[in-house]
């Protein structure tokens, strides 16, 4: 099967860079599979799992709380604030982060902007996805 370059980038460093057969992304519109030769596009990511396939098998599953992905026929670059291997997700840590996100959302007042409310709700949804992923791990 044909391969393409997958790069996962955080603000601090390059987290992953290698040739893969397929990657499944948690786009805002739903999960999206990327293969070599994919049409060029830029997609927003929601909180969810990035699944990497090599040699016909799933080799890596990472949780991302959101970000963007740029797809071209020979490359997929994922830009995310963080990426955590699913195996190292802690349910307790996910519950704590969800509680913090819910408290931050609850503290938003009527004078706050719709953009701020939306960002806070997106964080709550991402942390719920993290909790669910930690349960499944």
């Amino acid at each position: 099967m044909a391969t393409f370059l997958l790069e996962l980038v955080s603000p601090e460093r390059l987290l992953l860079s290698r040739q893969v057969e397929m990657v499944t992304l948690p786009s805002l519109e739903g999960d999206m599979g990327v293969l070599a030769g994919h049409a060029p596009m830029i997609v927003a990511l929601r909180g969810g799992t990035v699944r990497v396939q090599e040699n016909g098998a799933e080799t890596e599953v990472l949780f991302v709380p959101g970000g963007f992905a740029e797809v071209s026929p020979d490359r997929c670059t994922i830009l995310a604030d963080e990426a955590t291997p699913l195996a190292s997700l802690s349910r307790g840590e996910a519950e704590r982060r969800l509680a913090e996100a819910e408290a931050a959302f609850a503290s938003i007042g009527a004078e706050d902007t719709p953009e701020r409310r939306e960002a806070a709700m997106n964080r709550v949804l991402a942390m719920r996805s993290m909790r669910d992923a930690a349960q499944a791990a």
Side-chain angles (χ1 to χ4, degrees):
M1 181 177 257
T3 64
F4 62 96
L5 179 63
L6 172 63
E7 293 184 320
L8 178 57
V9 182
S10 77
E12 294 85 31
R13 63 188 173 99
L14 179 65
L15 301 170
L16 183 137
S17 179
R18 66 176 182 254
Q19 293 291 126
V20 301
E21 290 176 349
M22 180 177 175
V23 63
T24 304
L25 305 172
S27 80
L28 286 180
E29 292 80 25
D31 288 351
M32 174 182 151
V34 177
L35 295 166
H38 197 286
M41 62 179 52
I42 296 176
V43 295
L45 303 178
R46 69 181 194 291
T49 55
V50 173
R51 299 179 176 277
V52 179
Q53 291 186 14
E54 298 170 277
N55 300 319
E58 191 171 84
T59 58
E60 201 154 1
V61 182
L62 305 153
F63 178 83
V64 295
F68 294 91
E70 180 182 12
V71 179
S72 69
D74 60 350
R75 174 186 301 242
C76 177
T77 303
I78 301 169
L79 307 169
D81 286 338
E82 62 180 282
T84 307
L86 195 61
S88 66
L89 273 183
S90 156
R91 179 174 163 98
E93 175 69 10
E95 290 284 355
R96 182 190 66 75
R97 290 178 68 178
L98 174 57
E100 287 175 358
E102 288 173 337
F105 180 74
S107 72
I108 292 177
E111 68 282 354
D112 279 311
T113 65
E115 293 81 12
R116 185 162 173 195
R117 278 192 295 280
E118 183 178 356
M121 177 50 74
N122 286 342
R123 186 71 180 163
V124 169
L125 295 174
M127 292 305 101
R128 285 181 184 165
S129 293
M130 177 184 258
R131 180 200 55 202
D132 295 346
Q135 279 182 318

